[in-house]
Amino acid sequence: MCTAATYKTKDFYFGRTLDYEFSYGEEVVITPRNEPFPFRYMAEMPHHFAVIGMACVAQEYPLYYDAVNEKGLGMAGLNFVGNACYAASPAKGKDNIAVFEFIPWVLGQCATVKEAGALLAKANLVGLPFNEQMPAAQLHWLIADREGAITVESVREGLRIYENPVGVLTNNPPFEQQMFGLNNYMRLSPKTPENLFSSELPLSAYSRGMGGLGLPGDLSSQSRFVRAAFTRMNSVSGCTEKESVSQFFHILGSVEQQRGCCDVGDGKYEITLYTSCCNASKGIYYYTTYENRQITAVDMHHEALASTGLVRYPLIQEQQVKMQN
Amino acid sequence: MCTAATYKTKDFYFGRTLDYEFSYGEEVVITPRNEPFPFRYMAEMPHHFAVIGMACVAQEYPLYYDAVNEKGLGMAGLNFVGNACYAASPAKGKDNIAVFEFIPWVLGQCATVKEAGALLAKANLVGLPFNEQMPAAQLHWLIADREGAITVESVREGLRIYENPVGVLTNNPPFEQQMFGLNNYMRLSPKTPENLFSSELPLSAYSRGMGGLGLPGDLSSQSRFVRAAFTRMNSVSGCTEKESVSQFFHILGSVEQQRGCCDVGDGKYEITLYTSCCNASKGIYYYTTYENRQITAVDMHHEALASTGLVRYPLIQEQQVKMQN
Amino acid sequence: MCTAATYKTKDFYFGRTLDYEFSYGEEVVITPRNEPFPFRYMAEMPHHFAVIGMACVAQEYPLYYDAVNEKGLGMAGLNFVGNACYAASPAKGKDNIAVFEFIPWVLGQCATVKEAGALLAKANLVGLPFNEQMPAAQLHWLIADREGAITVESVREGLRIYENPVGVLTNNPPFEQQMFGLNNYMRLSPKTPENLFSSELPLSAYSRGMGGLGLPGDLSSQSRFVRAAFTRMNSVSGCTEKESVSQFFHILGSVEQQRGCCDVGDGKYEITLYTSCCNASKGIYYYTTYENRQITAVDMHHEALASTGLVRYPLIQEQQVKMQN
Amino acid sequence: MCTAATYKTKDFYFGRTLDYEFSYGEEVVITPRNEPFPFRYMAEMPHHFAVIGMACVAQEYPLYYDAVNEKGLGMAGLNFVGNACYAASPAKGKDNIAVFEFIPWVLGQCATVKEAGALLAKANLVGLPFNEQMPAAQLHWLIADREGAITVESVREGLRIYENPVGVLTNNPPFEQQMFGLNNYMRLSPKTPENLFSSELPLSAYSRGMGGLGLPGDLSSQSRFVRAAFTRMNSVSGCTEKESVSQFFHILGSVEQQRGCCDVGDGKYEITLYTSCCNASKGIYYYTTYENRQITAVDMHHEALASTGLVRYPLIQEQQVKMQN
């Protein structure tokens, strides 16, 4: 389905893969500070932090999948089918937010995870469809800044907020269970393993990389969580922009979905439609697509952020091969 | 260490990852037909098939890691430490080939795997160092054309040639054992699994991709073999050049080594230095490097193949980011 | 730690392993109908169903680990360290039960799981120690009759009751999570697996039993849950008493802990101190111990169940070898 | 199929499980010293070491599955289907032994593994059927004394003898490959695992026994090899006869096959028909059967070993339950 991750070197990076069998026509979309964010139950937000991210624009409204605001706060929604549970109607005394408004609601007004946490204490997520054709997506969210990350889940028991020390989110099962499951992998390491099996047997590492034996390699959401966590937590890179962005794409590359390996029936295959890496500190949104490996970038600060009107960049989907001769 | 793979759509593709903790300065190198291939024990080959591939050039000699000739035959050498065993000296009545000459020997004169197989029947691989600083590398080889693939291993018992139905090679253990090991994964599938555990329990697939549960996700050579085999055998793509090349890089992306995940000590990490995909039918060599995701290409037919003199293209190692605004 | 299981042929069987590094001196103990069950917060139960099970008797009180009553209802407490959470004090309007009284409370008055479920609706488990030397054990419980089974957990959120369709309980993590985890094993089967990996590869089953590949073999509680579930759900046996009891010990044998394989430090090892199998329909309690493989049995109906006074049978711990010559 | 193992405390123990879907009517059989061993190609052995073991007696000939001689040498044949390869006819200058004569040939005249190794240097195993109804079984062998163990395999390349440092043998694949496979489990341990995954994550062992996570739990021969090896190499027991024998049955209990878990089709299930443990130092053969958990024993020194005539003890197959009341 999807994997989101954070990464910090000199700057803070936030991104995700979006895995699905077809695209809804997403674009890189910048919402400038003075382009109002309307809300179904709450007052319109005429001025807000500028936001850049990947969105499907419907009726001039940016349905963000993942985005970052100019303060360096990032937020991504990931599929959470079967576990997401929203209020059927608005609740009195609460901030009632339709699911599709959740990213604008948070990124429009919060500069940090801490502020987002405070805001969420009053939130009631309502399962209102955007329109008749678009039912409320079943999602959970990763919200992160350079200081830390939280996971937000709206489940039967209500809105749940979890510290997310691993900076990774995938899909099912719920986050708490995913984190617990990591205990089963605590012995895995990037280093050559020691022989703990028996001191009387001449066991040895016949290959490099055997310290990771036991890491799951399939595309299910639980396995992607473990693999992305292992890769991210053990990641080593320089801290320049190029080195950081490069390494971030390698981290998410560890959970990329190749066409053919996840057959969803009817001749359709779930693939990694796009991978994003946003320098949240600088507002530069980098992405690759399944068919275009070259990193393409949009810099929010190259646009007039004090203006109105969505700024939209269609994805460059065609492979950009550089001929050397 | 490394993973090699083949892929066939309309054309035939052959490539590999090279995983190591530092580079020897490899380049894309074309050897035209009339640039002689010298041999230590055999007569010089003044004319031969033109060859394109990745090589480290030492004393004007192309030490190929992987290459393809103009007839569409590909060959790659992969680390086989502890198992490779070469003759200490030339043998009478045999074609005595130094290990570092093996790729030129085969690609210079064989148009197909079948011809290569016949040639190898007379071969004796000698563990002669290229020079005092460069001992003979411990390798085994994948040789493939659009009709099929073989693995060649020089071991204690002699030279062994195996049919390679999976079109993948990694490192240890020996190929026959790797192939046998695949039996343990026969139940894995890109499709949603059925409940075979118990008809009385309400088990269900809570995530897409669960048919692959059990696929190993670590970077050891045996795990990379299984993962690359699963990805390649279940791969689905269009058959245009762009689609084929794109998919090939996705296949090898499944076994990419991220910096930090394979710690070889002394603060060094094995990473995927480069990934190659050669359209063997057309002689176009595509590659990416760890720091440069964009696909770069060299087309052998853009050079004067009837001439002499190595044609060398240093790798473009710097990330080529395309700014959209 | 422990594994409990149920089994049904003509009669209903209920039993468990008790895994620990030392014994508290448990015995097979029958509490006849008229031996009063005292309670710290509730009125004494002067008459009740007769109960047979394994207990440590302290100050003439049977601290049951697992037991069955004459109506065929079974109940076992299993370690649940770190997750069990009891009330610090009695609650008004509730049936306040000290943890150590829980088995007598339920088995003394409930004939079925349904009745137990109704009774539990009013229960408040209090973490009162039995005495100063014996703090309240952190436990969760399996309650079962021939119609079905439930798991009872007293956690931070309160008392939780779950249908238990698999008839197995081990320890951590909580039952709901263990059940969910079974989804990851839905493809496992006692039958020879099919090749779903690739129709182009000649993969085959080189051994019997390969349909179960992926089943965990270690002694952690999650792995024992999966293994016992697989063995129990696929178990095949005749339905005579001997065949049923034999098969039950084989089911629990699949999760037996061998001395040396679970090192708890200080030269101590957790082992399966005893394994029990109670014919709940007939009130016959069978057991083996780590050092005595022969099945020993105590039949409650061989005692005067209408009387008072505990009937106690110390375990036969010494290996009973039968010499044939 | 089967698992054989050795164990050494004060005495030396040798035993095995025999896993199959039906029994051939095996018995504990003692061949006294003067009961001649006939051979098809070699001279009869009129006097030899006395032998005790499990055998199917056909036409007064003891077809031993596993046995021990009075000198403390043990030998067991285990299924090796698809890999065993015998000579079609006797070879000149060799000791030509029919497969079914192999155990008498070795145990009749060798006192140690060293002597057996020397004897085998001249052996040629011929695939002669015992009679028309009984084709030569495809087997490989474990031969062991208190000093060490070897594995003997007759394969396409000839007779192969391997040091067996683990003292365990199962079935396919060949022994060398099984031993190599153990490298993949070198990190497993009976101790609580350390967190090597990431020092920044609060991972912890939520259960005892987690050091063994990754140990395979299914019944395939490769998984049984790993599990029996782990259990045997980490086994801890006292060194009295009772403690040693008890622990030995626990070691083999880790690979017991429960009815239902290995479905071989047609409503048949492979189960552990019997488990044996022979005190090779003292000549006492202990066994249990699937339906009889009590240990039964036959002591060779209770018989007249200097005499002739097979001494046969049918297995006690019925469960011996000891009623305590």
Side-chain angles (χ1 to χ4, degrees):
Chain A
M1 306 297 288
C2 306
T3 309
T6 68
Y7 195 57
K8 194 168 76 175
T9 56
K10 221 169 48 189
D11 286 339
F12 174 64
Y13 298 86
F14 181 93
R16 62 95 59 84
T17 59
L18 187 127
D19 308 322
Y20 210 59
E21 64 266 34
F22 63 87
S23 162
Y24 284 97
E26 54 274 5
E27 307 170 295
V28 179
V29 178
I30 298 165
T31 307
R33 290 174 201 131
N34 299 314
E35 171 66 21
F37 277 138
F39 295 93
R40 301 286 171 105
Y41 305 107
M42 307 297 289
E44 185 181 87
M45 212 184 271
H47 311 296
H48 52 75
F49 297 138
V51 169
I52 185 170
M54 193 67 83
C56 170
V57 178
Q59 300 162 225
E60 296 307 305
Y61 186 85
L63 295 160
Y64 279 112
Y65 300 0
D66 55 270
V68 157
N69 69 17
E70 57 184 307
K71 296 296 181 184
L73 184 66
M75 181 166 177
L78 289 92
N79 258 323
F80 193 45
V81 178
N83 283 301
C85 187
Y86 306 123
S89 55
K92 252 196 176 162
K94 285 286 195 177
D95 290 350
N96 293 294
I97 312 297
V99 171
F100 62 85
E101 301 163 345
F102 196 29
I103 290 182
W105 176 253
V106 173
L107 294 189
Q109 57 187 312
C110 300
T112 62
V113 166
K114 204 177 156 191
E115 289 180 24
L119 185 69
L120 292 175
K122 296 171 288 176
N124 180 45
L125 279 181
V126 186
L128 188 78
F130 178 72
N131 62 29
E132 286 189 359
Q133 283 73 49
M134 300 175 77
Q138 298 194 61
L139 302 172
H140 58 173
W141 294 266
L142 180 68
I143 303 179
D145 61 20
R146 65 176 301 126
E147 305 307 327
I150 56 174
T151 297
V152 181
E153 300 187 336
S154 181
V155 290
R156 223 176 29 208
E157 294 81 11
L159 203 66
R160 293 283 177 269
I161 300 175
Y162 304 100
E163 286 297 313
N164 185 329
V166 77
V168 170
L169 188 65
T170 62
N171 315 102
N172 284 335
F175 176 70
E176 224 179 358
Q177 217 165 313
Q178 299 261 26
M179 270 308 294
F180 181 83
L182 277 191
N183 291 320
N184 293 330
Y185 301 94
M186 61 192 280
R187 231 180 19 187
L188 270 53
S189 157
K191 301 195 177 172
T192 299
E194 281 179 88
N195 174 9
L196 305 174
F197 191 101
S198 168
S199 58
E200 294 169 46
L201 294 180
L203 303 181
S204 66
Y206 59 85
S207 165
R208 290 173 164 197
M210 286 177 66
L213 265 171
L215 198 66
D218 65 286
L219 301 179
S220 72
S221 43
Q222 196 162 293
S223 296
R224 281 184 286 106
F225 183 79
V226 178
R227 203 153 71 249
F230 183 76
T231 309
R232 180 200 179 281
M233 298 310 288
N234 290 295
S235 178
V236 171
S237 77
C239 59
T240 66
E241 180 70 355
K242 288 220 162 162
E243 290 167 316
S244 305
V245 170
S246 173
Q247 186 68 7
F248 192 95
F249 279 100
H250 284 297
I251 292 170
L252 286 185
S254 70
V255 290
E256 200 218 23
Q257 299 200 187
Q258 300 85 12
R259 195 188 298 107
C261 292
C262 181
D263 183 336
V264 297
D266 294 328
K268 288 181 193 144
Y269 299 93
E270 187 170 284
I271 61 172
T272 297
L273 293 171
Y274 73 83
T275 304
S276 69
C277 164
C278 191
N279 180 327
S281 311
K282 295 206 170 66
I284 309 172
Y285 192 96
Y286 301 90
Y287 68 88
T288 59
T289 69
Y290 193 80
E291 299 296 359
N292 183 14
R293 297 185 78 79
Q294 189 186 20
I295 298 171
T296 309
V298 176
D299 185 336
M300 85 192 295
H301 295 290
H302 290 184
E303 309 295 335
L305 294 183
S307 68
T308 63
L310 298 181
V311 183
R312 300 163 55 171
Y313 287 95
L315 302 192
I316 299 178
Q317 302 262 14
E318 204 190 352
Q319 194 71 269
Q320 305 294 308
V321 176
K322 182 186 190 82
M323 291 303 302
Q324 229 171 335
N325 73 347
Chain B
M1 305 296 289
C2 307
T3 309
T6 68
Y7 195 56
K8 195 168 75 174
T9 56
K10 222 168 49 187
D11 286 339
F12 174 64
Y13 299 86
F14 181 94
R16 63 96 58 84
T17 60
L18 188 128
D19 308 322
Y20 210 59
E21 64 267 33
F22 63 87
S23 163
Y24 283 97
E26 55 275 5
E27 307 171 296
V28 179
V29 179
I30 297 165
T31 307
R33 288 174 202 132
N34 299 314
E35 171 65 22
F37 276 138
F39 294 94
R40 301 285 171 106
Y41 304 107
M42 308 296 289
E44 184 181 88
M45 212 184 271
H47 312 294
H48 53 75
F49 297 137
V51 169
I52 185 170
M54 193 68 84
C56 171
V57 178
Q59 301 162 226
E60 295 309 305
Y61 186 84
L63 295 160
Y64 278 112
Y65 299 180
D66 57 271
V68 157
N69 69 17
E70 57 184 307
K71 295 296 180 184
L73 184 66
M75 183 166 176
L78 289 92
N79 259 323
F80 193 45
V81 178
N83 284 301
C85 187
Y86 306 123
S89 55
K92 253 195 174 162
K94 284 286 195 177
D95 291 350
N96 292 294
I97 311 297
V99 170
F100 61 84
E101 302 163 346
F102 196 28
I103 289 181
W105 177 253
V106 172
L107 294 189
Q109 57 187 313
C110 300
T112 62
V113 167
K114 207 177 154 191
E115 289 179 26
L119 184 70
L120 293 175
K122 296 172 288 174
N124 181 45
L125 279 181
V126 186
L128 189 77
F130 178 72
N131 61 29
E132 285 188 359
Q133 283 73 51
M134 300 174 77
Q138 297 195 62
L139 302 173
H140 58 172
W141 294 267
L142 180 68
I143 304 179
D145 62 18
R146 64 176 300 126
E147 304 308 327
I150 56 174
T151 297
V152 181
E153 300 188 335
S154 181
V155 291
R156 224 176 29 208
E157 294 81 10
L159 202 66
R160 293 283 178 267
I161 301 175
Y162 304 99
E163 286 297 314
N164 185 328
V166 76
V168 170
L169 188 66
T170 63
N171 315 103
N172 284 334
F175 176 70
E176 223 179 0
Q177 217 166 313
Q178 298 261 26
M179 270 308 295
F180 181 83
L182 276 192
N183 291 320
N184 293 331
Y185 302 94
M186 60 192 281
R187 231 179 17 187
L188 270 54
S189 157
K191 300 193 178 173
T192 299
E194 282 178 85
N195 174 8
L196 304 175
F197 191 101
S198 168
S199 58
E200 294 169 46
L201 294 179
L203 304 180
S204 66
Y206 59 85
S207 164
R208 289 172 165 198
M210 286 178 67
L213 265 171
L215 199 67
D218 65 287
L219 299 179
S220 72
S221 42
Q222 195 162 293
S223 296
R224 281 184 286 106
F225 182 79
V226 178
R227 204 153 70 248
F230 183 76
T231 310
R232 180 200 178 281
M233 298 309 287
N234 291 296
S235 178
V236 172
S237 76
C239 59
T240 66
E241 181 71 354
K242 287 219 163 162
E243 289 167 318
S244 306
V245 170
S246 172
Q247 186 68 8
F248 192 95
F249 280 100
H250 283 297
I251 292 171
L252 286 185
S254 71
V255 290
E256 201 218 24
Q257 299 200 187
Q258 299 84 13
R259 194 188 299 105
C261 293
C262 180
D263 183 336
V264 297
D266 295 328
K268 287 181 192 142
Y269 300 93
E270 187 170 284
I271 61 171
T272 297
L273 293 171
Y274 74 82
T275 304
S276 70
C277 164
C278 190
N279 180 327
S281 311
K282 293 205 170 67
I284 309 171
Y285 193 96
Y286 300 90
Y287 69 87
T288 59
T289 70
Y290 193 79
E291 299 295 1
N292 183 13
R293 298 186 76 79
Q294 188 186 20
I295 298 170
T296 308
V298 177
D299 185 337
M300 85 192 296
H301 295 291
H302 289 184
E303 308 295 334
L305 294 184
S307 67
T308 62
L310 298 180
V311 183
R312 299 163 56 171
Y313 286 94
L315 303 192
I316 300 178
Q317 302 262 15
E318 203 190 352
Q319 194 71 268
Q320 304 295 308
V321 176
K322 182 186 190 80
M323 291 302 304
Q324 231 173 333
N325 73 347
Chain C
M1 306 297 288
C2 308
T3 308
T6 68
Y7 194 55
K8 195 169 76 175
T9 57
K10 220 169 49 186
D11 285 340
F12 174 65
Y13 299 86
F14 181 93
R16 63 95 59 83
T17 59
L18 188 129
D19 307 323
Y20 210 58
E21 64 267 31
F22 62 86
S23 163
Y24 284 97
E26 55 274 4
E27 308 170 294
V28 180
V29 178
I30 297 166
T31 308
R33 290 177 201 128
N34 298 313
E35 169 67 22
F37 277 138
F39 294 93
R40 302 284 171 107
Y41 305 107
M42 307 296 290
E44 185 180 88
M45 211 183 272
H47 311 296
H48 52 74
F49 297 139
V51 169
I52 184 169
M54 193 68 84
C56 171
V57 178
Q59 300 161 226
E60 296 308 304
Y61 186 84
L63 294 160
Y64 278 112
Y65 299 0
D66 55 89
V68 158
N69 69 17
E70 58 185 306
K71 295 296 181 184
L73 184 67
M75 183 167 176
L78 289 92
N79 258 323
F80 193 45
V81 178
N83 283 301
C85 187
Y86 307 123
S89 54
K92 252 197 176 159
K94 284 285 196 178
D95 291 350
N96 292 293
I97 312 296
V99 171
F100 61 85
E101 301 164 346
F102 196 28
I103 289 181
W105 177 251
V106 173
L107 294 189
Q109 57 188 311
C110 300
T112 63
V113 166
K114 206 177 155 191
E115 288 179 26
L119 184 69
L120 293 174
K122 296 170 286 174
N124 180 46
L125 279 181
V126 186
L128 188 77
F130 178 72
N131 61 29
E132 285 188 1
Q133 283 74 48
M134 300 174 76
Q138 298 195 60
L139 302 172
H140 58 171
W141 294 266
L142 180 68
I143 304 179
D145 61 20
R146 64 176 301 126
E147 304 307 327
I150 57 174
T151 297
V152 180
E153 300 187 335
S154 181
V155 291
R156 222 177 30 209
E157 294 80 10
L159 202 68
R160 292 283 177 269
I161 300 174
Y162 304 99
E163 286 297 313
N164 185 329
V166 77
V168 170
L169 188 65
T170 61
N171 314 103
N172 285 335
F175 176 71
E176 223 179 359
Q177 217 165 313
Q178 299 260 27
M179 270 309 294
F180 181 82
L182 277 191
N183 291 319
N184 292 331
Y185 301 93
M186 61 192 280
R187 230 179 19 186
L188 270 53
S189 156
K191 301 194 178 173
T192 299
E194 282 179 86
N195 173 9
L196 304 174
F197 191 101
S198 168
S199 58
E200 294 170 46
L201 293 179
L203 303 180
S204 65
Y206 58 85
S207 164
R208 290 171 165 199
M210 287 178 67
L213 264 171
L215 198 66
D218 64 285
L219 300 180
S220 72
S221 43
Q222 196 162 292
S223 296
R224 281 184 286 107
F225 183 78
V226 178
R227 204 154 69 250
F230 183 75
T231 309
R232 179 199 179 282
M233 298 309 288
N234 291 296
S235 177
V236 171
S237 76
C239 60
T240 66
E241 180 72 354
K242 288 220 163 162
E243 289 168 317
S244 306
V245 169
S246 173
Q247 185 67 8
F248 192 94
F249 279 100
H250 284 296
I251 292 170
L252 286 184
S254 70
V255 290
E256 200 219 23
Q257 299 201 188
Q258 299 84 13
R259 195 189 296 106
C261 292
C262 181
D263 183 335
V264 296
D266 294 329
K268 288 181 193 143
Y269 299 94
E270 187 170 284
I271 61 172
T272 297
L273 293 172
Y274 75 82
T275 304
S276 70
C277 164
C278 191
N279 180 328
S281 311
K282 294 205 170 67
I284 309 172
Y285 193 95
Y286 301 89
Y287 68 88
T288 59
T289 70
Y290 193 79
E291 300 295 359
N292 183 12
R293 297 185 77 78
Q294 188 186 18
I295 299 170
T296 309
V298 176
D299 185 337
M300 84 192 297
H301 295 292
H302 289 184
E303 309 294 333
L305 295 183
S307 66
T308 63
L310 298 181
V311 183
R312 299 163 57 171
Y313 286 95
L315 302 193
I316 300 179
Q317 302 263 14
E318 203 189 353
Q319 194 71 269
Q320 305 294 308
V321 176
K322 182 187 190 78
M323 292 303 302
Q324 229 171 334
N325 72 349
Chain D
M1 306 297 288
C2 307
T3 308
T6 68
Y7 194 56
K8 194 168 76 174
T9 56
K10 219 169 47 186
D11 286 338
F12 174 63
Y13 298 86
F14 181 93
R16 63 96 58 83
T17 60
L18 188 128
D19 307 323
Y20 209 58
E21 65 266 32
F22 63 88
S23 163
Y24 285 97
E26 55 274 4
E27 306 170 295
V28 179
V29 178
I30 298 166
T31 307
R33 290 175 201 129
N34 298 314
E35 169 65 22
F37 276 139
F39 294 94
R40 301 286 171 107
Y41 305 108
M42 308 296 290
E44 186 181 88
M45 211 184 270
H47 312 295
H48 53 74
F49 297 139
V51 169
I52 185 170
M54 193 67 84
C56 171
V57 178
Q59 300 161 227
E60 296 308 305
Y61 186 84
L63 295 161
Y64 278 112
Y65 299 1
D66 56 270
V68 158
N69 69 18
E70 57 185 306
K71 295 295 180 184
L73 184 67
M75 182 167 176
L78 289 92
N79 258 323
F80 194 44
V81 178
N83 283 302
C85 187
Y86 306 122
S89 54
K92 253 196 175 161
K94 284 287 196 177
D95 290 351
N96 291 294
I97 311 297
V99 170
F100 62 85
E101 301 163 346
F102 196 29
I103 289 181
W105 176 252
V106 173
L107 294 189
Q109 56 188 312
C110 300
T112 62
V113 166
K114 206 178 156 190
E115 289 180 25
L119 185 70
L120 292 175
K122 297 171 287 176
N124 181 45
L125 278 182
V126 186
L128 188 78
F130 177 72
N131 61 28
E132 285 188 0
Q133 282 75 49
M134 299 175 77
Q138 298 195 61
L139 302 172
H140 58 173
W141 293 267
L142 180 68
I143 303 179
D145 62 18
R146 65 177 299 126
E147 304 307 328
I150 57 174
T151 297
V152 181
E153 299 188 335
S154 181
V155 291
R156 224 177 28 209
E157 294 80 10
L159 202 68
R160 294 282 177 270
I161 300 175
Y162 304 99
E163 286 296 315
N164 185 329
V166 76
V168 170
L169 188 65
T170 62
N171 315 102
N172 284 334
F175 176 70
E176 222 179 0
Q177 217 166 314
Q178 298 260 27
M179 270 308 294
F180 181 82
L182 276 191
N183 291 319
N184 293 331
Y185 301 94
M186 61 193 278
R187 229 181 18 188
L188 270 53
S189 157
K191 301 193 178 173
T192 298
E194 281 179 88
N195 174 9
L196 304 174
F197 190 101
S198 168
S199 58
E200 294 170 46
L201 293 180
L203 303 181
S204 65
Y206 59 85
S207 165
R208 290 172 164 198
M210 286 178 66
L213 264 171
L215 198 66
D218 65 286
L219 299 180
S220 72
S221 43
Q222 196 161 291
S223 296
R224 281 184 286 108
F225 183 78
V226 178
R227 203 153 70 250
F230 183 75
T231 309
R232 180 200 178 281
M233 298 310 287
N234 291 295
S235 179
V236 171
S237 76
C239 60
T240 66
E241 180 71 354
K242 287 219 163 163
E243 289 167 319
S244 305
V245 169
S246 173
Q247 185 68 7
F248 192 94
F249 279 100
H250 284 297
I251 291 170
L252 286 185
S254 71
V255 289
E256 200 218 24
Q257 300 200 187
Q258 299 83 13
R259 195 188 298 107
C261 291
C262 181
D263 183 337
V264 296
D266 295 329
K268 288 180 192 143
Y269 299 93
E270 187 169 283
I271 60 170
T272 297
L273 293 172
Y274 75 82
T275 304
S276 70
C277 163
C278 191
N279 180 329
S281 311
K282 294 206 170 66
I284 309 171
Y285 193 95
Y286 301 89
Y287 68 87
T288 59
T289 70
Y290 193 80
E291 300 295 359
N292 183 14
R293 296 185 77 79
Q294 188 187 19
I295 298 170
T296 308
V298 176
D299 185 337
M300 85 191 296
H301 295 291
H302 289 184
E303 309 294 333
L305 294 183
S307 67
T308 63
L310 298 181
V311 183
R312 299 162 58 171
Y313 287 95
L315 302 193
I316 299 179
Q317 302 264 13
E318 203 190 353
Q319 194 72 268
Q320 305 294 308
V321 175
K322 183 187 189 79
M323 291 304 303
Q324 230 173 333
N325 72 348

